[in-house]
mmCIF file with all atom_site columns, all heavy atoms in Angstrom:
data_model
loop_
_atom_site.group_PDB
_atom_site.id
_atom_site.type_symbol
_atom_site.label_atom_id
_atom_site.label_alt_id
_atom_site.label_comp_id
_atom_site.label_asym_id
_atom_site.label_entity_id
_atom_site.label_seq_id
_atom_site.pdbx_PDB_ins_code
_atom_site.Cartn_x
_atom_site.Cartn_y
_atom_site.Cartn_z
_atom_site.occupancy
_atom_site.B_iso_or_equiv
_atom_site.pdbx_formal_charge
_atom_site.auth_seq_id
_atom_site.auth_comp_id
_atom_site.auth_asym_id
_atom_site.auth_atom_id
_atom_site.pdbx_PDB_model_num
ATOM 1   N N   . LEU A 1 170 ? -12.322 21.626 41.074 1.00 98.00 ? 371 LEU A N   1
ATOM 2   C CA  . LEU A 1 170 ? -13.048 22.552 40.217 1.00 98.00 ? 371 LEU A CA  1
ATOM 3   C C   . LEU A 1 170 ? -12.486 22.574 38.809 1.00 98.00 ? 371 LEU A C   1
ATOM 4   O O   . LEU A 1 170 ? -11.298 22.840 38.632 1.00 98.00 ? 371 LEU A O   1
ATOM 5   C CB  . LEU A 1 170 ? -13.039 23.946 40.797 1.00 98.00 ? 371 LEU A CB  1
ATOM 6   C CG  . LEU A 1 170 ? -13.634 25.076 39.936 1.00 98.00 ? 371 LEU A CG  1
ATOM 7   C CD1 . LEU A 1 170 ? -15.164 24.806 39.780 1.00 98.00 ? 371 LEU A CD1 1
ATOM 8   C CD2 . LEU A 1 170 ? -13.382 26.434 40.540 1.00 98.00 ? 371 LEU A CD2 1
ATOM 9   N N   . ILE A 1 172 ? -12.676 24.368 35.317 1.00 98.00 ? 373 ILE A N   1
ATOM 10  C CA  . ILE A 1 172 ? -13.129 25.512 34.696 1.00 98.00 ? 373 ILE A CA  1
ATOM 11  C C   . ILE A 1 172 ? -12.997 25.435 33.172 1.00 98.00 ? 373 ILE A C   1
ATOM 12  O O   . ILE A 1 172 ? -11.942 25.199 32.590 1.00 98.00 ? 373 ILE A O   1
ATOM 13  C CB  . ILE A 1 172 ? -12.296 26.817 35.095 1.00 98.00 ? 373 ILE A CB  1
ATOM 14  C CG1 . ILE A 1 172 ? -12.408 27.009 36.684 1.00 98.00 ? 373 ILE A CG1 1
ATOM 15  C CG2 . ILE A 1 172 ? -12.820 28.055 34.412 1.00 98.00 ? 373 ILE A CG2 1
ATOM 16  C CD1 . ILE A 1 172 ? -11.590 28.149 37.149 1.00 98.00 ? 373 ILE A CD1 1
ATOM 17  N N   . VAL A 1 231 ? -12.150 24.422 47.167 1.00 96.00 ? 432 VAL A N   1
ATOM 18  C CA  . VAL A 1 231 ? -11.729 23.133 46.612 1.00 96.00 ? 432 VAL A CA  1
ATOM 19  C C   . VAL A 1 231 ? -10.247 22.930 46.827 1.00 96.00 ? 432 VAL A C   1
ATOM 20  O O   . VAL A 1 231 ? -9.530  23.876 47.266 1.00 96.00 ? 432 VAL A O   1
ATOM 21  C CB  . VAL A 1 231 ? -12.044 23.050 45.076 1.00 96.00 ? 432 VAL A CB  1
ATOM 22  C CG1 . VAL A 1 231 ? -13.498 23.096 44.805 1.00 96.00 ? 432 VAL A CG1 1
ATOM 23  C CG2 . VAL A 1 231 ? -11.314 24.195 44.328 1.00 96.00 ? 432 VAL A CG2 1
ATOM 24  N N   . HIS A 1 232 ? -9.753  21.728 46.599 1.00 95.00 ? 433 HIS A N   1
ATOM 25  C CA  . HIS A 1 232 ? -8.314  21.450 46.796 1.00 95.00 ? 433 HIS A CA  1
ATOM 26  C C   . HIS A 1 232 ? -7.552  21.605 45.486 1.00 95.00 ? 433 HIS A C   1
ATOM 27  O O   . HIS A 1 232 ? -6.318  21.882 45.560 1.00 95.00 ? 433 HIS A O   1
ATOM 28  C CB  . HIS A 1 232 ? -8.155  19.988 47.275 1.00 95.00 ? 433 HIS A CB  1
ATOM 29  C CG  . HIS A 1 232 ? -8.923  19.692 48.486 1.00 95.00 ? 433 HIS A CG  1
ATOM 30  N ND1 . HIS A 1 232 ? -9.977  18.759 48.558 1.00 95.00 ? 433 HIS A ND1 1
ATOM 31  C CD2 . HIS A 1 232 ? -8.828  20.188 49.790 1.00 95.00 ? 433 HIS A CD2 1
ATOM 32  C CE1 . HIS A 1 232 ? -10.477 18.725 49.774 1.00 95.00 ? 433 HIS A CE1 1
ATOM 33  N NE2 . HIS A 1 232 ? -9.777  19.599 50.525 1.00 95.00 ? 433 HIS A NE2 1
ATOM 34  N N   . VAL A 1 233 ? -8.201  21.431 44.351 1.00 97.00 ? 434 VAL A N   1
ATOM 35  C CA  . VAL A 1 233 ? -7.544  21.518 43.050 1.00 97.00 ? 434 VAL A CA  1
ATOM 36  C C   . VAL A 1 233 ? -8.440  22.277 42.123 1.00 97.00 ? 434 VAL A C   1
ATOM 37  O O   . VAL A 1 233 ? -9.666  22.036 42.031 1.00 97.00 ? 434 VAL A O   1
ATOM 38  C CB  . VAL A 1 233 ? -7.225  20.140 42.416 1.00 97.00 ? 434 VAL A CB  1
ATOM 39  C CG1 . VAL A 1 233 ? -6.444  20.241 41.161 1.00 97.00 ? 434 VAL A CG1 1
ATOM 40  C CG2 . VAL A 1 233 ? -6.478  19.248 43.444 1.00 97.00 ? 434 VAL A CG2 1
ATOM 41  N N   . VAL A 1 234 ? -7.843  23.209 41.314 1.00 98.00 ? 435 VAL A N   1
ATOM 42  C CA  . VAL A 1 234 ? -8.497  23.852 40.206 1.00 98.00 ? 435 VAL A CA  1
ATOM 43  C C   . VAL A 1 234 ? -7.762  23.502 38.935 1.00 98.00 ? 435 VAL A C   1
ATOM 44  O O   . VAL A 1 234 ? -6.501  23.595 38.830 1.00 98.00 ? 435 VAL A O   1
ATOM 45  C CB  . VAL A 1 234 ? -8.527  25.388 40.362 1.00 98.00 ? 435 VAL A CB  1
ATOM 46  C CG1 . VAL A 1 234 ? -9.161  26.032 39.086 1.00 98.00 ? 435 VAL A CG1 1
ATOM 47  C CG2 . VAL A 1 234 ? -9.273  25.796 41.585 1.00 98.00 ? 435 VAL A CG2 1
ATOM 48  N N   . VAL A 1 235 ? -8.494  23.030 37.924 1.00 98.00 ? 436 VAL A N   1
ATOM 49  C CA  . VAL A 1 235 ? -7.941  22.770 36.576 1.00 98.00 ? 436 VAL A CA  1
ATOM 50  C C   . VAL A 1 235 ? -8.628  23.716 35.639 1.00 98.00 ? 436 VAL A C   1
ATOM 51  O O   . VAL A 1 235 ? -9.809  23.572 35.381 1.00 98.00 ? 436 VAL A O   1
ATOM 52  C CB  . VAL A 1 235 ? -8.068  21.293 36.138 1.00 98.00 ? 436 VAL A CB  1
ATOM 53  C CG1 . VAL A 1 235 ? -7.324  21.051 34.834 1.00 98.00 ? 436 VAL A CG1 1
ATOM 54  C CG2 . VAL A 1 235 ? -7.522  20.320 37.236 1.00 98.00 ? 436 VAL A CG2 1
ATOM 55  N N   . ASP A 1 236 ? -7.843  24.655 35.105 1.00 98.00 ? 437 ASP A N   1
ATOM 56  C CA  . ASP A 1 236 ? -8.421  25.764 34.356 1.00 98.00 ? 437 ASP A CA  1
ATOM 57  C C   . ASP A 1 236 ? -8.128  25.570 32.873 1.00 98.00 ? 437 ASP A C   1
ATOM 58  O O   . ASP A 1 236 ? -6.974  25.788 32.404 1.00 98.00 ? 437 ASP A O   1
ATOM 59  C CB  . ASP A 1 236 ? -7.806  27.095 34.873 1.00 98.00 ? 437 ASP A CB  1
ATOM 60  C CG  . ASP A 1 236 ? -8.495  28.298 34.286 1.00 98.00 ? 437 ASP A CG  1
ATOM 61  O OD1 . ASP A 1 236 ? -9.241  28.174 33.277 1.00 98.00 ? 437 ASP A OD1 1
ATOM 62  O OD2 . ASP A 1 236 ? -8.286  29.418 34.791 1.00 98.00 ? 437 ASP A OD2 1
ATOM 63  N N   . GLY A 1 247 ? -10.647 31.153 40.397 1.00 95.00 ? 448 GLY A N   1
ATOM 64  C CA  . GLY A 1 247 ? -10.107 29.886 40.779 1.00 95.00 ? 448 GLY A CA  1
ATOM 65  C C   . GLY A 1 247 ? -9.237  29.970 42.030 1.00 95.00 ? 448 GLY A C   1
ATOM 66  O O   . GLY A 1 247 ? -9.267  29.140 42.922 1.00 95.00 ? 448 GLY A O   1
ATOM 67  N N   . LEU A 1 248 ? -8.378  31.013 42.062 1.00 94.00 ? 449 LEU A N   1
ATOM 68  C CA  . LEU A 1 248 ? -7.545  31.178 43.232 1.00 94.00 ? 449 LEU A CA  1
ATOM 69  C C   . LEU A 1 248 ? -8.362  31.441 44.462 1.00 94.00 ? 449 LEU A C   1
ATOM 70  O O   . LEU A 1 248 ? -8.033  30.888 45.572 1.00 94.00 ? 449 LEU A O   1
ATOM 71  C CB  . LEU A 1 248 ? -6.597  32.411 43.031 1.00 94.00 ? 449 LEU A CB  1
ATOM 72  C CG  . LEU A 1 248 ? -5.372  32.227 42.132 1.00 94.00 ? 449 LEU A CG  1
ATOM 73  C CD1 . LEU A 1 248 ? -4.620  33.512 42.005 1.00 94.00 ? 449 LEU A CD1 1
ATOM 74  C CD2 . LEU A 1 248 ? -4.529  31.070 42.580 1.00 94.00 ? 449 LEU A CD2 1
ATOM 75  N N   . ALA A 1 250 ? -11.154 30.191 45.126 1.00 95.00 ? 451 ALA A N   1
ATOM 76  C CA  . ALA A 1 250 ? -11.826 28.927 45.558 1.00 95.00 ? 451 ALA A CA  1
ATOM 77  C C   . ALA A 1 250 ? -10.879 27.953 46.173 1.00 95.00 ? 451 ALA A C   1
ATOM 78  O O   . ALA A 1 250 ? -11.369 26.996 46.805 1.00 95.00 ? 451 ALA A O   1
ATOM 79  C CB  . ALA A 1 250 ? -12.484 28.298 44.336 1.00 95.00 ? 451 ALA A CB  1
ATOM 80  N N   . LEU A 1 251 ? -9.577  28.117 46.072 1.00 93.00 ? 452 LEU A N   1
ATOM 81  C CA  . LEU A 1 251 ? -8.668  27.166 46.656 1.00 93.00 ? 452 LEU A CA  1
ATOM 82  C C   . LEU A 1 251 ? -8.623  27.259 48.171 1.00 93.00 ? 452 LEU A C   1
ATOM 83  O O   . LEU A 1 251 ? -8.652  28.378 48.725 1.00 93.00 ? 452 LEU A O   1
ATOM 84  C CB  . LEU A 1 251 ? -7.249  27.378 46.069 1.00 93.00 ? 452 LEU A CB  1
ATOM 85  C CG  . LEU A 1 251 ? -7.044  26.786 44.668 1.00 93.00 ? 452 LEU A CG  1
ATOM 86  C CD1 . LEU A 1 251 ? -5.675  27.201 44.131 1.00 93.00 ? 452 LEU A CD1 1
ATOM 87  C CD2 . LEU A 1 251 ? -7.145  25.271 44.662 1.00 93.00 ? 452 LEU A CD2 1
ATOM 88  N N   . ARG A 1 263 ? -3.623  23.060 44.629 1.00 94.00 ? 464 ARG A N   1
ATOM 89  C CA  . ARG A 1 263 ? -2.979  23.141 43.304 1.00 94.00 ? 464 ARG A CA  1
ATOM 90  C C   . ARG A 1 263 ? -3.838  23.845 42.303 1.00 94.00 ? 464 ARG A C   1
ATOM 91  O O   . ARG A 1 263 ? -5.049  23.559 42.276 1.00 94.00 ? 464 ARG A O   1
ATOM 92  C CB  . ARG A 1 263 ? -2.640  21.779 42.775 1.00 94.00 ? 464 ARG A CB  1
ATOM 93  C CG  . ARG A 1 263 ? -1.496  21.057 43.466 1.00 94.00 ? 464 ARG A CG  1
ATOM 94  C CD  . ARG A 1 263 ? -1.970  20.183 44.648 1.00 94.00 ? 464 ARG A CD  1
ATOM 95  N NE  . ARG A 1 263 ? -2.691  18.999 44.264 1.00 94.00 ? 464 ARG A NE  1
ATOM 96  C CZ  . ARG A 1 263 ? -3.512  18.334 45.012 1.00 94.00 ? 464 ARG A CZ  1
ATOM 97  N NH1 . ARG A 1 263 ? -3.769  18.771 46.279 1.00 94.00 ? 464 ARG A NH1 1
ATOM 98  N NH2 . ARG A 1 263 ? -4.115  17.252 44.636 1.00 94.00 ? 464 ARG A NH2 1
ATOM 99  N N   . TYR A 1 264 ? -3.235  24.752 41.572 1.00 96.00 ? 465 TYR A N   1
ATOM 100 C CA  . TYR A 1 264 ? -3.945  25.431 40.495 1.00 96.00 ? 465 TYR A CA  1
ATOM 101 C C   . TYR A 1 264 ? -3.210  25.015 39.191 1.00 96.00 ? 465 TYR A C   1
ATOM 102 O O   . TYR A 1 264 ? -2.049  25.343 38.988 1.00 96.00 ? 465 TYR A O   1
ATOM 103 C CB  . TYR A 1 264 ? -3.897  26.950 40.641 1.00 96.00 ? 465 TYR A CB  1
ATOM 104 C CG  . TYR A 1 264 ? -4.930  27.664 39.771 1.00 96.00 ? 465 TYR A CG  1
ATOM 105 C CD1 . TYR A 1 264 ? -6.033  28.279 40.363 1.00 96.00 ? 465 TYR A CD1 1
ATOM 106 C CD2 . TYR A 1 264 ? -4.819  27.715 38.374 1.00 96.00 ? 465 TYR A CD2 1
ATOM 107 C CE1 . TYR A 1 264 ? -6.985  28.935 39.546 1.00 96.00 ? 465 TYR A CE1 1
ATOM 108 C CE2 . TYR A 1 264 ? -5.762  28.340 37.621 1.00 96.00 ? 465 TYR A CE2 1
ATOM 109 C CZ  . TYR A 1 264 ? -6.826  28.949 38.206 1.00 96.00 ? 465 TYR A CZ  1
ATOM 110 O OH  . TYR A 1 264 ? -7.761  29.604 37.408 1.00 96.00 ? 465 TYR A OH  1
ATOM 111 N N   . VAL A 1 265 ? -3.964  24.293 38.280 1.00 97.00 ? 466 VAL A N   1
ATOM 112 C CA  . VAL A 1 265 ? -3.340  23.857 37.039 1.00 97.00 ? 466 VAL A CA  1
ATOM 113 C C   . VAL A 1 265 ? -3.785  24.678 35.871 1.00 97.00 ? 466 VAL A C   1
ATOM 114 O O   . VAL A 1 265 ? -5.045  24.725 35.603 1.00 97.00 ? 466 VAL A O   1
ATOM 115 C CB  . VAL A 1 265 ? -3.718  22.389 36.811 1.00 97.00 ? 466 VAL A CB  1
ATOM 116 C CG1 . VAL A 1 265 ? -3.040  21.841 35.530 1.00 97.00 ? 466 VAL A CG1 1
ATOM 117 C CG2 . VAL A 1 265 ? -3.276  21.526 38.035 1.00 97.00 ? 466 VAL A CG2 1
#
Side-chain angles (χ1 to χ4, degrees):
L371 174 64
I373 301 178
V432 294
H433 305 114
V434 184
V435 175
V436 186
D437 188 348
L449 285 179
L452 281 173
R464 287 90 71 202
Y465 196 111
V466 182

